Amino acid sequence: MTDRSFRRALAALVLPAFVSTLSAMAQLPPEDSPDDRPPRPGREELHGMLDAYIISKLQEALVLDDEQYARVIVAQKRLNEQRRDYQRERQELLQRLRQSLAVEGPSEAELGRLLERLETLRSTFEARQKAAYAALDALLTVEQRARYRLLEVELERRVQDMMREVRRLRRGAVPPGPPRAR
């Protein structure tokens, strides 16, 4: 089996596993007791499945040679980790901001510090993303870069669709028919 056919076979296995994991999560009530149901997959496990799916799609859409593939994987994982770290830290700061505003007469100094940290976090993230994209772009041809940007939009849309479906199923809505072809 060649590397390329192996990667295609891996993609064929990863996507259904990712979708079925999301579906299983959707069917579990939020207040599961550990005795009633199997444990939900952890955040890291979901991130790993999502990364594997993205990487398999990169190979397919960009037609990467073996050397590019190895380097692009590292660059893509770095990009994903940066995004996740930013989202996590941003959510923590926003939660602290909410908590500060929830008390009577929040300290302006505390609010100012939190807002400053939020702005610093955003600007640092943007600079890191710019550098990560530059590193990724350096590995790709102009056509591959264009395909990458389009793929990013499509993957983001698909993940959002899947997450909407998970939320809809968690609210007890009727499951849809077969997935739409894209």
Side-chain angles (χ1 to χ4, degrees):
M1 179 178 266
T2 67
D3 274 351
R4 193 163 287 178
S5 62
F6 173 75
R7 289 189 290 253
R8 283 193 181 120
L10 179 63
L13 294 173
V14 169
L15 179 59
F18 180 65
V19 171
S20 69
T21 299
L22 287 176
S23 296
M25 287 178 63
Q27 294 169 7
L28 297 176
E31 59 279 340
D32 277 84
S33 71
D35 299 332
D36 296 348
R37 309 255 177 160
R40 291 184 185 180
R43 184 176 301 250
E44 292 302 315
E45 186 179 354
L46 288 174
H47 288 168
M49 284 190 275
L50 185 56
D51 286 350
Y53 174 64
I54 290 168
I55 289 167
S56 71
K57 290 299 184 183
L58 283 174
Q59 170 60 31
E60 182 182 312
L62 306 183
V63 191
L64 302 168
D65 63 36
D66 290 340
E67 183 180 331
Q68 279 181 309
Y69 183 74
R71 291 181 176 171
V72 166
I73 288 173
V74 173
Q76 182 64 43
K77 284 185 178 185
R78 188 173 300 127
L79 197 63
N80 291 346
E81 287 170 8
Q82 286 177 355
R83 287 177 183 157
R84 288 180 186 130
D85 289 346
Y86 169 72
Q87 287 298 325
R88 181 185 42 75
E89 291 176 39
R90 182 174 180 268
Q91 288 305 317
E92 288 171 7
L93 283 172
L94 290 172
Q95 181 60 31
R96 290 173 71 187
L97 197 59
R98 279 186 202 95
Q99 290 169 347
S100 292
L101 288 171
V103 299
E104 252 182 71
S107 159
E108 282 193 29
E110 176 65 16
L111 292 176
R113 279 192 298 275
L114 289 171
L115 289 170
E116 186 177 316
R117 287 181 60 197
L118 199 56
E119 178 56 29
T120 300
L121 178 66
R122 185 192 59 75
S123 59
T124 301
F125 170 71
E126 288 173 357
R128 287 181 178 161
Q129 286 288 281
K130 186 175 182 176
Y133 273 109
L136 188 59
D137 286 348
L139 302 172
L140 304 172
T141 66
V142 173
E143 181 180 340
Q144 287 172 323
R145 289 168 40 201
R147 290 178 185 278
Y148 178 84
R149 295 313 192 274
L150 293 173
L151 178 65
E152 257 191 328
V153 171
E154 180 63 25
L155 289 173
E156 184 178 318
R157 187 177 307 127
R158 285 185 182 180
V159 169
Q160 287 173 351
D161 287 347
M162 285 187 267
M163 294 310 294
R164 261 193 300 279
E165 182 64 18
V166 166
R167 288 184 199 108
R168 191 180 67 72
L169 289 171
R170 289 189 113 190
R171 288 189 308 262
V174 177
R180 302 186 317 244
R182 289 198 185 235

